[in-house]
Amino acid sequence: MTEPRWLDEKQARAWRGYRRMRALLDLQITRDLAADSGLSDADYDVLSNLSEASPHRLRLTELATTMLWSKSRLSHHLTRMQQRGLVDREECAGDARGSLIVLTEAGLRAIEDAAPHHVDSVRRHMIDLLTDEEIAALDALTHRVVSHLTATS
Amino acid sequence: MTEPRWLDEKQARAWRGYRRMRALLDLQITRDLAADSGLSDADYDVLSNLSEASPHRLRLTELATTMLWSKSRLSHHLTRMQQRGLVDREECAGDARGSLIVLTEAGLRAIEDAAPHHVDSVRRHMIDLLTDEEIAALDALTHRVVSHLTATS
DNA sequence: GCTAGGTTGGTGACACGTCAACAAGCACCC
DNA sequence: GGGTGCTTGTTGACGTGTCACCAACCTAGC
């Protein structure tokens, strides 16, 4: 490290703002989700990904990579969700190692009940507070950062 | 819940982009921090807050509220950091219940060594990828959301 | 003073995440 | 077809976060 290039005033403000929003928004949305639906963020993400899949089932590895989770974490979490009846595991035809994660009836009901509340929460605490220009800027900026991060690693 | 107002295309793109950036950026910055300095995000935040305090010490409750952490979490984390010699606890003159969290010499060295690398990481993976207009938009937008969230709760 | 009610920090039990290791299965190549 | 090496999903141990509870302490009102 030669001469560290510190952030200037504006950059520092933006960075700290981002960090703080991130933390507060997380807390609030987690709270709302738990109060409205009894689900955790993690539960919601798993259910939502499964519900968007073709016949409501996905390979564990596939689910893990799209969620940016480790297989281990997902496996642990799925056993807990399985005990609550939200998902199930099926054997995978064609690959005897694999297991298919299936959305159960109860899981489908859970995500369908939760989604409207969740969208409302996201709107109230973030989206509806932004102008169209800010939405566009956020879209552009986040996607640029995302492609940088997925290219590098 | 009457008629749920789903997100339109642009809003959904921005929201998903935000979520994905958030996750990827976290992973990357955590990785960098661990590789460069052997610190976790949590460690860094604690040390950075302490180093900015007047005589390098803060009440536990004060630190917890500025970090948006529970006192319990902070207390647990501090005992671990204390075992590594990064912080220490002092008795609090004037309030026998309280304890002052103090930055040790080693803790100061740790944060001073870590900071340049950390700033570099933040620049490379986010700040330097944004235009000045985007920085300004991010600043405005995050601070609006933050004040909404702090006002409500 | 002293009592009632709030605050402070800590603790133990439990939920969750990470990491390393593993058995089982696939795929390829000779 | 039988190594060789990679992939898949699971497990156990351990580090970390959450929650409920607690003792010690402050503060105000009487």
Side-chain angles (χ1 to χ4, degrees):
Chain A
M1 193 98 305
T2 56
E3 280 289 311
R5 290 170 51 231
W6 301 109
L7 301 183
D8 68 33
E9 181 106 12
K10 290 177 185 176
Q11 293 169 331
R13 261 185 63 88
W15 175 247
R16 278 198 302 268
Y18 165 70
R19 294 282 292 178
R20 197 151 193 86
M21 177 182 81
R22 190 190 157 298
L24 282 165
L25 200 52
D26 245 45
L27 284 173
Q28 187 60 52
I29 287 184
T30 303
R31 254 198 305 267
D32 287 354
L33 203 48
D36 295 335
S37 326
L39 297 175
S40 68
D41 267 18
D43 297 333
Y44 189 90
D45 275 10
V46 170
L47 294 176
S48 137
N49 274 287
L50 281 176
S51 74
E52 285 169 10
S54 37
H56 287 176
R57 65 204 64 209
L58 284 172
R59 290 290 293 267
L60 185 141
T61 298
E62 199 179 346
L63 187 51
T65 43
T66 63
M67 294 184 71
L68 302 170
W69 280 22
S70 71
K71 289 185 283 182
S72 161
R73 174 181 181 186
L74 184 53
S75 181
H76 280 304
H77 198 85
L78 287 174
T79 47
R80 293 187 293 261
M81 292 182 73
Q82 193 172 13
Q83 282 161 3
R84 296 195 282 149
L86 296 172
V87 299
D88 216 342
R89 290 181 217 238
E90 276 180 4
E91 288 178 6
C92 176
D95 188 345
R97 295 167 302 181
S99 74
L100 278 175
I101 314 306
V102 194
L103 192 60
T104 62
E105 271 303 314
L108 184 59
R109 243 178 297 120
I111 186 69
E112 285 177 344
D113 289 354
H117 298 279
H118 181 61
V119 174
D120 184 58
S121 168
V122 169
R123 275 195 176 283
R124 271 185 303 123
H125 302 310
M126 169 145 185
I127 296 293
D128 283 352
L129 302 175
L130 308 188
T131 65
D132 288 355
E133 293 74 29
E134 285 170 338
I135 298 272
L138 191 64
D139 180 30
L141 151 195
T142 53
H143 282 84
R144 192 171 330 122
V145 174
V146 165
S147 49
H148 159 83
L149 286 169
T150 42
T152 303
S153 64
Chain B
M1 192 100 305
T2 56
E3 280 287 312
R5 291 170 50 231
W6 301 109
L7 301 183
D8 68 34
E9 181 106 14
K10 290 176 185 177
Q11 293 170 331
R13 262 185 62 88
W15 174 247
R16 278 198 301 268
Y18 165 71
R19 295 282 292 181
R20 197 152 193 85
M21 177 181 80
R22 191 191 156 296
L24 283 165
L25 200 52
D26 245 44
L27 285 173
Q28 187 61 50
I29 287 184
T30 303
R31 254 198 304 268
D32 287 355
L33 203 48
D36 294 336
S37 326
L39 297 175
S40 69
D41 267 17
D43 297 335
Y44 188 91
D45 275 9
V46 169
L47 294 176
S48 137
N49 274 287
L50 281 177
S51 75
E52 286 169 9
S54 38
H56 287 177
R57 66 205 64 209
L58 284 172
R59 290 289 292 268
L60 185 140
T61 298
E62 198 180 346
L63 187 50
T65 43
T66 64
M67 293 184 71
L68 302 170
W69 280 22
S70 71
K71 289 186 283 183
S72 160
R73 174 182 182 185
L74 184 54
S75 180
H76 279 304
H77 198 86
L78 287 174
T79 47
R80 293 186 295 259
M81 290 182 74
Q82 193 171 14
Q83 282 160 4
R84 296 195 282 149
L86 297 172
V87 300
D88 216 341
R89 292 181 214 239
E90 276 180 3
E91 288 178 7
C92 177
D95 189 344
R97 295 166 303 179
S99 75
L100 278 175
I101 315 305
V102 194
L103 193 59
T104 63
E105 271 304 313
L108 186 58
R109 244 179 295 118
I111 186 71
E112 285 177 345
D113 289 354
H117 297 280
H118 181 62
V119 173
D120 184 57
S121 169
V122 169
R123 275 195 176 283
R124 272 186 301 123
H125 302 309
M126 168 143 186
I127 295 293
D128 283 352
L129 302 175
L130 309 187
T131 65
D132 288 354
E133 293 75 29
E134 285 170 339
I135 298 272
L138 191 65
D139 179 30
L141 148 196
T142 54
H143 282 84
R144 192 171 330 122
V145 174
V146 165
S147 49
H148 159 83
L149 286 170
T150 43
T152 303
S153 65

